[in-house]
Amino acid sequence: MNDRFLRACRKQPVDTVPVWIMRQAGRYLPEYMEVRRKHDFLTVCKTPELAAQVTIQPVARLGVDAAILFSDILIPVEAMGVPLEFHEGRGPILGRGARDRSAIEALRVPDPVRDLGFVLDAVRVLRRELAGRVPLIGFSGLPFTLASYIVEGGKSRDFAALRSLMQDDPGAFAVLMDKLTDTTVAYAGAQISAGAQAIQLFDTWAGILEPEQYRRQVLPHTFRVAQAVRLRRVPVIHFTADCRRLLPVLRELPVDVLSIDQRVPLDEAARLAGPGFVLQGNLDPEVLLRPAGEVADAAKEVLERGRQAGGHIFNLGHGILPRTDPEAARALVEAVHRLGRQG
Ligand code: CP3
């Protein structure tokens, strides 16, 4: 069993630096596009055998040290009663946006076993099919990022509706965050019961907030999710897409690993986060579009800076770009394993 990834999460010694890639299953892989020609994205998410098949594709092709469940952070939001659609090239669309107290009151907290059984089945199929080859990472969105999609009705450029809800009706925003916290705690817990061996919590858009507002209106909810997952004794990873300003606050979270975006060098992130955290990241996804020699040099620099942290799991700073050559991703994994050898 390759347990490098789990050992690194727990700060145990490893033979070399473990590596996986955010969005490692997806549109840059021809074998994924082959499945998508026959089935739309939500059908793949909701059919355990298909979700398991595409989860394993990058494990087989790239040699990464972990599999991440193929799904989407918005799947439990649909189970809360928000209509969800994906349209090619436009990103997710979620109804008209739940912007007032009555729309927020109408949302329900789903029962993962009853309403999201297909995700739990995918986890069970995967544990059987992976057969210990690599550990399986489960995941969930965190309340703030999920709230942004629910309130805006999709991806937003300025988050105007979300910002005015937080400002003008903090009580209604807190009700929404409480429902999302309950949803996330139950959902992540059910994935662990089904066999997920670590949980990555995505708070992609939290970096748009001033640290003080984040501390007041978001941190308590994220804290509750992280603590509940940690009580289940699996490693917890926190990700946000623009973390520099928030790191002095994020260091208060009960998580094992902080995933760092490409804008903050890992040695600087280690200073801002303080001791105690394993850091994940943070090669710029754009680097994978460059010639092989440049990719290896950039990976080497990330590895060197990562040595300053309490432990390092190699990854990109954000998801892999759809126009990446799979061969570049495979070569990166090999380079990290070669250059990251310990001792
Ligand atoms: O990492 C993995 O390989 C696991 C699968 C995974 C997906 N989405 C698959 C996906 C994970 C962990 C996510 C998380 C996710 N989804 C986040 C947080 C991480 C991040 O990147 O910031 C967010 C914000 C979403 C919401 C979402 N879903 C967006 C913005 C998009 C892109 C829309 C587009 O058209 O580009 C999706 C769709 C999506 N999720 C795809 C995949 C492979 C593309 C679907 C397709 O067309 O096949």
Side-chain angles (χ1 to χ4, degrees):
M1 148 97 162
N2 170 358
D3 64 350
R4 242 179 232 140
F5 165 78
L6 290 175
R7 293 182 62 86
C9 287
R10 299 188 179 113
K11 293 193 196 163
Q12 293 163 344
V14 285
D15 57 341
T16 186
V17 174
V19 48
W20 66 280
I21 296 176
M22 282 189 274
R23 294 277 176 99
Q24 63 189 11
R27 284 176 295 197
Y28 75 106
L29 286 181
E31 55 271 39
Y32 174 79
M33 291 314 291
E34 183 72 37
V35 172
R36 283 281 280 101
R37 261 192 290 282
K38 286 178 243 141
H39 312 278
D40 65 28
F41 174 63
L42 282 176
T43 302
V44 180
C45 291
K46 292 177 183 181
T47 311
E49 292 70 26
L50 292 175
Q53 182 188 344
V54 298
T55 299
I56 291 176
Q57 287 173 348
V59 176
R61 189 196 269 255
L62 308 181
V64 284
D65 297 303
I68 181 160
L69 170 69
F70 189 85
S71 185
D72 196 84
I73 60 166
L74 299 173
I75 292 285
V77 170
E78 186 181 40
M80 293 175 82
V82 181
L84 173 65
E85 291 170 31
F86 284 90
H87 296 283
E88 209 60 54
R90 279 176 60 199
I93 298 174
L94 301 91
R96 283 177 292 111
R99 298 186 174 186
D100 54 29
R101 190 175 269 269
S102 69
I104 288 167
E105 300 279 357
L107 298 172
R108 56 177 181 268
V109 174
D111 172 348
V113 172
R114 191 188 59 212
D115 305 324
L116 296 158
F118 54 88
V119 175
L120 310 179
D121 286 341
V123 170
R124 284 185 278 262
V125 171
L126 273 163
R127 284 300 304 275
R128 197 168 61 236
E129 290 188 359
L130 285 167
R133 248 183 298 167
V134 290
L136 177 65
I137 305 172
F139 71 87
S140 174
L142 278 166
F144 176 74
T145 291
L146 298 178
S148 81
Y149 284 98
I150 292 173
V151 173
E152 299 284 345
K155 186 170 187 291
S156 169
R157 242 181 304 117
D158 54 8
F159 300 92
L162 180 69
R163 287 185 197 276
S164 50
L165 178 69
M166 292 176 81
Q167 193 87 46
D168 303 340
D169 197 348
F173 176 74
V175 171
L176 176 58
M177 292 293 278
D178 274 329
K179 285 191 182 190
L180 285 165
T181 300
D182 291 342
T183 297
T184 303
V185 167
Y187 183 53
Q191 289 181 46
I192 295 165
S193 298
Q197 291 158 289
I199 294 287
Q200 177 147 326
L201 299 172
F202 287 95
D203 215 354
T204 304
W205 307 123
I208 68 155
L209 295 177
E210 293 294 333
E212 263 323 299
Q213 188 175 28
Y214 176 86
R215 182 192 293 285
R216 215 169 352 112
Q217 291 185 282
V218 177
L219 182 72
H221 303 279
T222 294
F223 197 98
R224 180 147 78 84
V225 174
Q227 200 161 41
V229 177
R230 234 207 196 161
L231 279 172
R232 303 292 308 271
R233 298 181 177 285
V234 302
V236 186
I237 308 169
H238 180 281
F239 168 83
T240 183
D242 188 0
C243 68
R244 183 194 296 271
R245 285 193 309 173
L246 291 185
L247 275 173
V249 187
L250 296 176
R251 62 190 284 174
E252 295 170 26
L253 287 173
V255 301
D256 304 280
V257 184
L258 289 171
S259 202
I260 307 295
D261 64 89
Q262 62 273 11
R263 295 172 201 83
V264 196
L266 288 183
D267 48 342
E268 189 186 339
R271 280 194 301 277
L272 290 168
F277 291 103
V278 174
L279 299 186
Q280 176 172 279
N282 69 345
L283 188 75
D284 187 339
E286 300 267 354
V287 168
L288 280 178
L289 307 175
R290 296 191 205 141
E294 288 180 40
V295 179
D297 287 347
K300 196 169 178 185
E301 183 175 345
V302 170
L303 284 164
E304 273 161 18
R305 293 183 187 274
R307 289 205 185 93
Q308 312 298 312
H312 183 204
I313 295 164
F314 197 100
N315 205 315
L316 305 182
H318 202 166
I320 191 166
L321 299 167
R323 59 187 188 281
T324 308
D325 179 351
E327 174 52 26
R330 194 203 57 76
L332 172 67
V333 171
E334 188 186 274
V336 171
H337 284 157
R338 179 165 37 82
L339 300 167
R341 230 167 267 142
Q342 312 285 302

